[in-house]
Amino acid sequence: MYKSSNSTCPSTFVIIFLIKDILPEEIQQQIVRETFHLVLKRDDNICNFLEGGSLIGGSDYKLIYRHYATLYFVFCVDSSESELGILDLIQVFVETLDKCFENVCELDLIFHMDKVHYILQEVVMGGMVLETNMNEIVAQMEAQNRLEKSEGGLSAAPARAVSAVKNINLPEIPRNINIGDLNIKVPNLSQFV
Amino acid sequence: MALKMVKGSIDRMFDKNLQDLVRGIRNHKEDEAKYISQCIDEIKQELKQDNIAVKANAVCKLTYLQMLGYDISWAAFNIIEVMSASKFTFKRIGYLAASQCFHEGTDVIMLTTNQIRKDLSSPSQYDTGVALTGLSCFVTPDLARDLANDIMTLMSHTKPYIRKKAVLIMYKVFLKYPESLRPAFPRLKEKLEDPDPGVQSAAVNVICELARRNPKNYLSLAPLFFKLMTSSTNNWVLIKIIKLFGALTPLEPRLGKKLIEPLTNLIHSTSAMSLLYECVNTVIAVLISLSSGMPNHSASIQLCVQKLRILIEDSDQNLKYLGLLAMSKILRTHPKSVQAHKDLVLQCLDDKDESIRLRALDLLYGMVSKKNLMEIVKKLMTHVDKAEGTTYRDELLTKIIDICSQSNYQHITNFEWYISILVELTRLEGTRHGHLIAAQMLDVAIRVKAIRKFAVSQMSALLDSAHLVASSTQRNGICEVLYAAAWICGEFSEHLQEPHQTLEAMLRPKVTTLPGHIQAVYVQNVVKLYASILQQKEQAAETEAAQEVTQLMVERLPQFVQSADLEVQERASCILQLVKHIQKLQAKDVPVAEEVSALFAGELNPVAPKAQKKVPVPEGLDLDAWINEPLSDSESEDEKPKAIFHDEEQRQAKPRQPEADEEELARRREARKQEQANNPFYIKSSPSPQKRYQDAPGVEHIPVVQIDLSVPLKVPGLPMSDQYVKLEEERRHRQRLEKDKRKKKKKEKQARRHSALHTESDEDIAPAQQVDIVTEEMPENALPSDEDDKDPNDPYRALDIDLDKPLADSEKLPVQKHRNAETSKSPEKEDVPVIEKKSKKPKKKEKKHKEKGREKGRKKEKKEKKPSKHKKKKHRKEQEERSADRKKSKKKQPAGGGAAEPVENGSLDEEPLPPMSSYCLLAENSYIRMTYEVQGSLQEDSRVTVSIVLENQSSSFLKNMELNVLDSLNTKLARPEGSSVHDGVPVPFQLPPGISNEAQFVFTIQSIAMAQKLKGTLTFIAKNDEGSTHEKLDFKLHFSCTSYLITTPCYSDAFAKLLESGDLSMSSIKVDGISMSFQNLLAKICFHHHFSVVERVNSCASMYSRSIQGHHVCLLVKKGEKSVSVDGKCSDSTLLSNLLEEMRATLATC
């Protein structure tokens, strides 16, 4: 699971849950909110672990984070993970992002949430670490991107042209161009039997 | 159609993509919510389009919104649509959205089973990968059961990319469907030695996770892991394995001994801090598991402590933190080696990082001893003063209390010091933990008799000090201590120096600003205090003073009578009446003190929290039996008033004389002593000079230990705990000198015993007071505590499965649609009442029973019970789900009115259905028995899958099985590419004796209007000791029209529309002599003929099903007196009439 901060926060957070039980959505959101507050007020020269305590429903859970300029990567892990190992994993993840996005920056993560997810899914699966070898992850990502390209992608050439047009500030474009009602209404007939 | 396409693509040009959405949200900071709701409206429009690309784009945006916390569960169905797109690009978007927002409660999730199965077997590894990733996030028990077999196959996929994902997801499958663990485990174990490091790492990951929860089942894997540990170079794998060993060693000390050496080698050799740290951690676990008496391991402890010290001294805060964490583990078993580093830990208390400070606090908890407690607490107290944040300060406060009170105040030598510490803590502003301090004060005052006098003096000072009361409103936390103070002063009022002053302090008007529960305690204890003052004054014959006190009470109590708090009001008015009465008596010069204090006679002993539960039920006592036969209502009404007003007359008279005279009291005391002597839970104080007090008469002279005071009792003002530290040091010094003197004398005699180095150990420090901590009272014959503390709801408990036991025949993963499987093999099974579709369950249970019979291990029985419990739960859930479904479909058409009741709801429990199976016998001979079931699927039209269960009934080994049928024009067996129509299809497995397995064959059908029969042959080689023979078995496959139907849920509004469309032909049948209930009848039709109930009103139900070629079949089933009529409508009349004939055959047996 991965959550990124909302637009009201000065820094961008990437929060990743590395736990085997899926938490309910409200609790996830609450953890995300509280994590901002907890992590933001921490100096750089203090340790990168935060004990969950009441926050994430148990002392079994910890927050482990790394800080890169305005970017925070926070992993929420249980006691089966090695703390220092996770710090290394964050490094692997960030370096992978850097390779996939070619010099990753904050905006990449903000605008390409889906791609970050896809990369993350090669690193972590169902709350467990899947792959730690960066070259392997990058190779798989590239293969999938090629596959997507061969299919024409989601926003193929025409859509791109359109988005260029859209960026010119046009006055309100009629949202619905009505080309007749294509729905065929079912006449009200008597009920069965 | 073309128009629609054009419309779609024009529309699409103006759709936002994800980037536009993000940009838009960032540009609309001030009205974000409004903008997003507008976007959601757009997305809803887009989702209505037919173009899958538009839908995918919309779902992609929804995923982003979900991340921001918006609910997108309404789009669950659209997400499934996108998941089933053929293009990888879209599929990936769909699965991503599903993994983010699907959870067990998502009702459409059951629609995904087939889609996921299709994706799992997709030729493209990335389709499979995406499906696995998605499934790992939203797998439910149903999905896990249905897909376990498919995933297990993927564990042996040729591509390591798929293998590692399949291996990893198995853990989730095990969690949701524990029955799959045993069948899948052998393959999982194989994967530990997979050539691909990724797959290997995944397998280690899964097994470590399993073993962490139930380590004892995985001990047998230890040698394999040991090999991996010494051979692997992958630090990730090593860390996992080493962590796993940490979990295993407590169960098998021999393993620990073996581990020490390679682990110490790793500690010395590795450069990776993470690995080093985990090694140290596991060595610690090993050391804990080994008996501490092993001297040769002290080197390992020293090594660990040394390495940890290096970590703690490191400038990297992370290492420091982890070092402290590991240190606290060593502390539990080897406190001595850690205590040497006390300086380091105390230093960490000054760290700027709160996490590190908290860790250090944890360590301190274990490091205290009698010797250093005062010093450490003093240090902590200075931190309390310095601390800025209230959270950290509160944490410090609780830690101080924890440290002092741990293991029954074991480390406290001077309770006066402790009380002073508690009193000092009350000066903390704005703490939330006032109640904690209060609880400690009460606990100490009650359980340490020797301290009562001192405690009372301190508490009266607290009551007197205005600061607590004055600020009660804004700092409501700390005023809790007044609760304790008031109670202690009241209960032990005989120790008060100036009771009158305390009484006045408690009756001040400001007290009424305190919270109600505290005021209530005040009121109650004012009376206790008053009673003891009266006693004093009367003994001193100061009648005037006594009357003054009474006057004070009468004046001040009304302020409590007016309290808004009911408890306070009630107590106050009772007591006011009592005091007024006393006043009258005093005016007549009647001595009252004796009687008033009799109100509070008796000693309160602390009772253990579990005491009530531990009272054993005496033999022959039935708690549920009536003692007296219950009286009829009229009688009891007559009785009651009598009982209530029985002693009315006596109440009018003056307070009753206490019946207990001196003799009686002596007798009671004797009895109590006797009782205490017999009570094993009552700690008797050793015979000491104080004992003689017990012989003194009077209830007030409850045995109180006299204190040998080396410190002044009364500290002016509020006490300074520091003074005690100094005094205590002096005292200890004196003590030591004395002891040394004594020792020197003894030394010559007992030279051998005292040969060890003399250091001042904990035992040498005698406490300042002869303290007897009264243990909490337990009832006689209390049962030993053997309660199972495990939480029965723990999801991991279900995975506590013995993996070494060989696999039984019954244990295999369900293959596609296997849950319908039930061969009608044994007739006795027919009696077992089960509910439809659950027929698999009794089969399993029964096999387990047989096993139980064979191996009569008690343990096994326990284990077997667990899964069955689990099943029950699941079962219930399914029922609920089903009924919920029905409810939903009902909601859509309220026209049904009040008479309509949700179908199958609840009544399932009342009427058990006979077992039903869709498997029927195909052919049988002495070697083999074949049962089969035909099922269609919507995905591939005009195709049906025939699942054949082959059961080896002989003692021979059956192999080279091949199935062949004579194709008809209409129905053809799908054969592998390149083979001719006369070739058979090989069965993909062999059958050892007594084993059964299921094979699936696909047939293509042209017309489904008629039932079909196909002749076929199964050929195989039977091999036994005497040799092998070729055998064959002929059979006839019967494809009924029913088998072309697929159970498809249908909403009632869609159903109505379908009927209205008018292009369905109609036909009907009527069957007489039906005795079965309508409920079961419907269930039977649903099960055997693949229908689903759309709606049910009384004894009339509409049902729906769909053929694999898309024919709609609608039924109206009506139950008459002893008959059932079925009207059907279908787009194909031949199909309908054939179906109805088949149904007639089914119904005729009801």
Side-chain angles (χ1 to χ4, degrees), chain B residues 776-893:
Chain B
E776 290 159 332
E777 277 193 348
M778 281 291 223
E780 288 175 63
N781 328 319
L783 303 163
S785 73
D786 52 354
E787 293 145 75
D788 198 354
D789 288 336
K790 272 193 184 170
D791 177 13
N793 297 326
D794 183 4
Y796 304 108
R797 246 184 128 178
L799 283 181
D800 189 1
I801 295 166
D802 186 3
L803 293 163
D804 299 328
K805 207 169 63 177
L807 276 177
D809 311 345
S810 58
E811 287 183 296
K812 54 176 186 177
L813 290 175
V815 275
Q816 194 166 3
K817 299 292 177 186
H818 194 64
R819 59 184 138 159
N820 294 349
E822 164 75 330
T823 45
S824 44
K825 277 176 216 157
S826 42
E828 80 267 27
K829 249 178 244 160
E830 300 290 329
D831 320 347
V832 187
V834 278
I835 299 158
E836 57 152 338
K837 293 198 179 174
K838 290 280 122 192
S839 32
K840 194 189 84 193
K841 301 273 148 82
K843 186 170 148 196
K844 255 200 167 164
K845 254 186 212 164
E846 209 167 74
K847 284 236 166 99
K848 275 175 184 164
H849 275 295
K850 275 181 207 159
E851 264 175 37
K852 251 192 254 176
R854 256 185 266 136
E855 338 169 37
K856 277 194 176 166
R858 247 205 233 155
K859 263 189 189 168
K860 237 152 230 151
E861 274 181 35
K862 256 187 198 165
K863 252 172 230 159
E864 310 254 346
K865 270 177 199 161
K866 277 174 209 157
S868 74
K869 218 184 210 169
H870 181 81
K871 257 183 240 160
K872 256 187 220 157
K873 225 199 229 153
K874 210 161 63 189
H875 185 160
R876 249 237 311 284
K877 210 169 175 186
E878 246 166 56
Q879 272 185 18
E880 278 164 13
E881 263 172 28
R882 214 181 300 147
S883 64
D885 263 7
R886 301 277 179 260
K887 270 180 197 153
K888 197 180 268 168
S889 64
K890 208 187 93 190
K891 236 182 254 166
K892 296 231 168 175
Q893 203 184 38

Side-chain angles (χ1 to χ4, degrees), chain A residues 7 25 45 47-49 51 79 111 122 129 131-132 140 143-144 148 151 154 162 166 189 192, chain B residues 13 15 19-20 32 66 88-89 92 126 161 164 205 212 317-318 321 353 359 1059-1060 1129:
Chain A
S7 51
E25 187 56 37
N45 52 4
C47 81
N48 296 349
F49 312 118
E51 273 162 275
S79 63
F111 283 105
E122 296 301 323
V129 180
E131 182 64 66
T132 52
Q140 296 297 351
Q144 290 180 43
E148 191 174 301
E151 287 179 349
L154 177 61
V162 169
K166 260 189 289 185
L189 294 181
F192 181 62
Chain B
M13 304 223 317
D15 286 343
Q19 282 75 40
D20 299 327
E32 194 182 290
Q66 194 271 346
F88 170 73
T89 317
R92 184 156 76 160
Y126 293 111
Y161 178 74
K164 74 180 176 195
N205 214 335
R212 192 164 76 98
Q317 298 280 333
N318 294 328
Y321 173 86
D353 186 351
R359 282 276 140 238
L1059 293 177
E1060 286 161 1
K1129 276 196 170 186

